[in-house]
Amino acid sequence: MRPTGALHLGHYHGVLRNWVALTRDHECLYFVADWHALTTRLDRPEEIAHHTREMVIDWIASGLDPERATLFVQSRVRAHAELHLLLSMIVPVGWLERVPSYKDLRQTAAAEDTLSYGFLGYPVLMSADVLLYRAAGVPVGEDQVAHLELTREIARRFNDLYGRGPAFAADLERVLGGLASDVRRAYDEALRAYRERGEEKALADLEQRLAGVSGLGADERDLLLAAARGTGRALLREPRPLLTATPRLPGLDGRKMSKSYGNTITLRDEPPVVWEKLRTMVTDPARVRRSDPGDPEKCPVWAWHLVYSDEETRSWVDRGCRSAGIGCLDCKKRLLEPILRDLEPIRERACRLAEHPERVEEILEDGSARARAWARPALEIVRERLGLAHGEQD
Ligand code: SF4
């Protein structure tokens, strides 16, 4: 996440709750993308450190436990920069020019100044961010799936270019020799089905079968699958998008909730501020007077009820809105309590933590050290394959 400072309800429901949930079953790393912030926010670099701290306070206050997840700052793990540089050597410029955000910005004449070399290359940095940790999955929204596909393409290209050679054949021989006869048979059958009849499903089934073979490590599985596909060894792991349906809370003006639109309720807003914002939130434009019937589907407040209200309240809103039996203020008042119930513990935790910036610093230092250790093996593999192996680590 880019360091944007204090977070809002849109972040909480759209991202943070999912992040917290993922830490229950997965080893997770979350980082402050401060280098990414520089690709578009060169004008106010002095804000980055402050925004980083405030944002991480809100992460933790929202339930992200630094003991269960590694929280760190991108610029404190220089391996991101090195892998970015190395990968940039194998990424055709055309791939980057096709990225939608770059195409969009190019079409805006006023944005000429922001079209930097760094901005063009930021999807490569993003790929390095993920590939460095051999991540199995990345929690993304639908709009970021294309970015992740680029990461997968970059990994494939690297694996194709550098994942073959004599060691590949020798390792494959060794792993095949160690398979039980029934697994070996299944492997050969899948290979035939894929190569001779083009059955993609055979590979998917094989992947599943291999996942259940005890004693077969992840690297060995990757090797067998790479050989079956006819690609190089999976030196860099292709990450999958973790698409979770998260609720989208529109902003107070009905547009996407965003700090730059000034249409947010932040996680640390005091109750009177929350009510004042909610009270003035836009509604169905057809309800000019209290006696005008409305349509919840055309009202951003309804989207909030879908997140915060139970069935009974929702049907009360639906009936009351369509029949003009309730006013918009009555409708909004029903939201206030559940919103404040969500926010109160977050605000309290955030305020306590904000009084101890040294604790936040400690968490980020510790997390960054852990991330450096995580990043080392992948970077060493890449260096070694590019003939750059040397002793220096960080
Ligand atoms: S009653 Fe509720 S759902 Fe209907 S327009 Fe007013 S705020 Fe929106």
Side-chain angles (χ1 to χ4, degrees):
M1 191 182 281
R2 289 175 181 227
T4 53
L7 300 182
H8 53 66
L9 280 177
H11 292 117
Y12 180 66
H13 289 287
V15 181
L16 293 174
R17 289 180 51 167
N18 185 36
W19 280 15
V20 173
L22 285 170
T23 63
R24 290 184 200 123
D25 308 312
H26 299 79
E27 186 82 55
C28 296
L29 296 102
Y30 299 118
F31 69 93
V32 181
D34 54 351
W35 277 332
H36 283 285
L38 289 174
T39 57
T40 49
R41 295 292 297 273
L42 262 182
D43 50 335
R44 277 171 283 170
E46 68 283 359
E47 290 180 356
I48 288 182
H50 174 72
H51 282 173
T52 295
R53 190 170 56 245
E54 293 303 301
M55 188 169 85
V56 172
I57 286 174
D58 282 348
W59 285 1
I60 298 169
S62 298
L64 211 53
D65 180 352
E67 299 295 324
R68 297 184 74 121
T70 300
L71 311 183
F72 67 98
V73 181
Q74 183 186 33
S75 64
R76 298 187 196 186
V77 185
R78 280 176 284 164
H80 289 246
E82 184 173 342
L83 188 59
H84 168 228
L85 172 83
L86 297 177
L87 293 179
S88 72
M89 305 302 175
I90 63 160
V91 178
V93 174
W95 287 10
L96 302 175
E97 286 174 336
R98 286 203 307 266
V99 172
S101 52
Y102 179 77
K103 282 204 307 206
D104 290 351
L105 207 61
R106 263 202 95 151
Q107 279 159 8
T108 322
E112 273 305 307
D113 283 352
T114 56
L115 277 180
S116 64
Y117 167 59
F119 185 76
L120 175 68
Y122 91 87
V124 184
L125 179 57
M126 219 178 228
S127 301
D129 297 335
V130 174
L131 298 174
L132 201 48
Y133 300 97
R134 296 179 59 81
V138 187
V140 289
E142 289 281 357
D143 54 335
Q144 288 170 321
V145 170
H147 275 129
L148 203 62
E149 190 45 45
L150 184 68
T151 301
R152 291 163 60 83
E153 271 182 65
I154 292 174
R156 276 198 291 273
R157 188 171 174 92
F158 185 87
N159 294 339
D160 270 353
L161 286 170
Y162 302 105
R164 299 172 198 268
F168 182 73
D171 283 352
L172 180 62
E173 206 49 51
R174 177 181 56 76
V175 176
L176 283 172
L179 293 180
S181 56
D182 59 325
V183 182
R184 176 65 197 256
R185 228 178 2 260
Y187 183 80
D188 290 341
E189 276 166 19
L191 212 64
R192 267 199 304 280
Y194 178 65
R195 290 193 182 160
E196 292 169 16
R197 302 191 292 278
E199 290 174 16
E200 284 280 346
K201 188 174 175 304
L203 280 192
D205 293 344
L206 176 65
E207 188 170 357
Q208 233 174 20
R209 174 81 196 261
L210 293 178
V213 175
S214 63
L216 195 65
D219 282 347
E220 292 170 328
R221 257 193 331 262
D222 286 350
L223 181 76
L224 289 170
L225 289 167
R229 282 195 192 96
T231 61
R233 185 203 296 251
L235 300 167
L236 295 177
R237 187 177 196 179
E238 290 181 42
R240 291 203 174 92
L242 300 176
L243 282 165
T244 313
T246 53
R248 296 260 166 233
L249 275 195
L252 298 163
D253 58 2
R255 291 186 290 174
K256 182 178 179 227
M257 193 182 284
S258 162
K259 188 178 172 183
S260 53
Y261 294 153
N263 63 0
T264 68
I265 288 181
T266 76
L267 297 184
R268 289 187 240 173
D269 277 342
E270 297 281 347
V273 177
V274 173
W275 174 239
E276 188 49 31
K277 288 181 173 178
L278 194 56
R279 196 180 65 76
T280 51
M281 182 171 176
V282 299
T283 60
D284 175 1
R287 291 207 75 181
V288 181
R289 285 176 298 272
R290 165 74 170 73
S291 53
D292 294 330
D295 178 355
E297 298 296 337
K298 293 181 181 152
C299 176
V301 177
W302 174 245
W304 289 43
H305 277 292
L306 293 178
V307 173
Y308 281 106
S309 301
D310 55 21
E311 266 310 317
E312 196 189 328
T313 307
R314 285 189 213 163
S315 62
W316 172 80
V317 171
D318 192 65
R319 261 182 288 114
C321 179
R322 292 180 194 280
S323 63
I326 60 168
C328 290
L329 277 182
D330 305 320
C331 179
K332 291 171 176 177
K333 272 183 195 150
R334 287 283 184 108
L335 280 170
L336 186 62
E337 194 198 317
I339 292 176
L340 293 182
R341 210 173 33 234
D342 251 7
L343 288 184
E344 197 182 337
I346 296 176
R347 195 178 57 252
E348 275 177 16
R349 280 195 294 265
C351 291
R352 268 202 309 277
L353 203 51
E355 286 170 12
H356 296 284
E358 74 291 348
R359 175 74 194 117
V360 181
E361 180 53 28
E362 229 172 73
I363 288 167
L364 290 177
E365 259 316 287
D366 177 55
S368 300
R370 269 152 56 194
R372 284 194 289 274
W374 270 94
R376 204 163 288 145
L379 186 60
E380 277 175 3
I381 288 173
V382 172
R383 281 175 178 164
E384 191 254 322
R385 293 298 163 133
L386 295 178
L388 301 168
H390 52 77
E392 196 184 321
Q393 301 294 329
D394 301 320

